[in-house]
Amino acid sequence: MGNVATTLFGQDKKQEANDFLDVKLAELLKNRASRQQVKASSFNKLLLRFGHLNRGFAKCKTVFHSLDNDGNEVIDLQELAEGCHKLGFDISTEIVDKVFHATDLDGNKSIDFREFIVVLAVLYMISTEDGDKVTNLDPDIIKSFNIAQETFCFFDASGDGFMDRKEVTAVLLEGDKGGKQLEGVAMKGTIARRFEELDWDNNGQISFKEFLYAVQGWVLDEDDYESPPSDEEKEEAVAAKSAAADRLRASDVSNIWADASNRQFVTKSSMKKQQAFKPSM
């Protein structure tokens, strides 16, 4: 009975944290939309800026490891609370606690790197809501968070801090030049898939938290989520590179040409394979 009560208490706490964060983020986004002087003229132009999202999100890995004091590849609540002070976030312990539980998707009381990108973006938004600046974050990270907010606000035509299916459909059709390329079943299927990628809890609305989870999957590769190599792995890589250089010097011209051609082919094949897993916007 005690375990059941504990579980229910944990579920109630997580739901309370989720409700708080959704409302808080919606409020922040509405305020941003009202202040935003220059809006993107089209979704296609926003897509051109997604390279900045990739750079900024990837650099979050450095911040993640700086807060992971025990090096176990996850961040617990204490590490996050201490990290907020290190990063210059002026946020109460209560809010940090709610953000932590609301973004801990699997409920294992720890934050992995995928969850951390959302945590960092949310804490940045809350800490700068009064116009305060955060100087301890890389400018590329800050830029990526601002682009993510601008993109969300572009979808959110009603300005209520959430996106619904009609708003997403309107933006994707506009990005497809008025829907001339996507028609009928193909159009409906594509939009349905995009919406499902965004609407994680299937409630018909997309919160900013859900949006961030989906977008990072669009702009980051699996390699971006991997841990940095250990000292031993670095030494092995250096040794392998040295051995490859020795073999290259010993090769004749024809072997060098064949090897280069093969590597080019593999690289192109790998790029095509990676692109196959990217959503087509």
Side-chain angles (χ1 to χ4, degrees):
M1 184 67 179
N3 290 335
V4 174
T6 301
T7 300
L8 290 175
F9 175 77
Q11 291 175 346
D12 289 343
K13 185 174 183 178
K14 185 172 181 62
Q15 186 59 53
E16 179 186 348
N18 281 327
D19 293 343
F20 162 80
L21 192 58
D22 284 345
V23 172
K24 184 64 177 178
L25 289 177
E27 175 189 338
L28 293 174
L29 288 163
K30 284 189 287 186
N31 291 339
R32 179 188 175 89
S34 65
R35 297 193 313 266
Q36 197 164 297
Q37 299 296 324
V38 180
K39 296 185 178 180
S41 58
S42 72
F43 181 59
N44 286 337
K45 289 189 176 181
L46 279 174
L47 284 177
L48 294 176
R49 303 175 66 190
F50 271 32
H52 294 295
L53 289 178
N54 176 278
R55 282 194 294 276
F57 286 1
K59 286 187 175 183
C60 290
K61 191 72 171 181
T62 301
V63 182
F64 178 82
H65 284 291
S66 73
L67 304 189
D68 180 19
N69 297 326
D70 54 13
N72 65 346
E73 294 300 322
V74 293
I75 292 176
D76 58 33
L77 181 55
Q78 181 178 348
E79 289 173 326
L80 181 61
E82 293 173 355
C84 285
H85 177 72
K86 184 186 299 184
L87 294 172
F89 292 153
D90 185 17
I91 302 176
S92 70
T93 302
E94 180 184 4
I95 290 181
V96 173
D97 182 86
K98 288 182 177 179
V99 171
F100 180 89
H101 286 94
T103 52
D104 178 18
L105 286 182
D106 51 15
N108 65 351
K109 298 182 180 180
S110 62
I111 299 295
D112 62 23
F113 179 57
R114 295 173 188 267
E115 296 165 330
F116 179 73
I117 292 177
V118 180
V119 170
L120 192 60
V122 168
L123 292 175
Y124 167 76
M125 290 173 63
I126 294 175
S127 65
T128 57
E129 65 175 311
D130 293 326
D132 297 332
K133 292 185 177 180
V134 176
T135 58
N136 295 346
L137 277 183
D138 187 291
D140 282 337
I141 295 177
I142 293 175
K143 187 172 185 176
S144 69
F145 291 164
N146 287 330
I147 291 174
Q149 293 178 68
E150 183 181 352
T151 304
F152 186 93
C153 290
F154 187 84
F155 274 98
D156 180 22
S158 66
D160 65 352
F162 294 92
M163 297 190 299
D164 59 33
R165 189 180 294 271
K166 287 183 179 179
E167 291 171 330
V168 172
T169 300
V171 171
L172 294 182
L173 284 177
E174 186 277 335
D176 190 47
K177 298 179 181 179
K180 294 178 181 178
Q181 298 173 29
L182 295 175
E183 297 180 356
V185 176
M187 185 251 323
K188 292 179 181 179
T190 299
I191 293 177
R193 287 192 298 273
R194 294 293 81 83
F195 193 84
E196 288 170 5
E197 287 176 1
L198 293 162
D199 185 18
W200 281 43
D201 57 10
N202 299 313
N203 70 345
Q205 282 189 320
I206 298 164
S207 66
F208 187 65
K209 181 179 71 174
E210 291 174 313
F211 179 73
L212 282 176
Y213 280 125
V215 168
Q216 63 171 287
W218 297 349
V219 301
L220 292 179
D221 296 319
E222 286 300 318
D223 291 344
D224 295 315
Y225 293 108
E226 293 180 358
S227 304
S230 63
D231 292 340
E232 182 178 348
E233 290 172 331
K234 289 179 181 178
E235 291 177 1
E236 291 177 355
V238 171
K241 186 176 181 179
S242 177
D246 290 340
R247 288 195 301 271
L248 188 60
R249 283 192 291 269
S251 299
D252 58 28
V253 175
S254 61
N255 285 338
I256 293 174
W257 176 257
D259 180 62
S261 300
N262 182 59
R263 282 188 284 109
Q264 184 181 25
F265 173 77
V266 171
T267 301
K268 288 182 178 180
S269 299
S270 301
M271 289 174 64
K272 290 180 179 178
K273 183 177 180 181
Q274 290 176 3
Q275 288 299 321
F277 291 94
K278 297 287 186 181
S280 55
M281 297 302 296

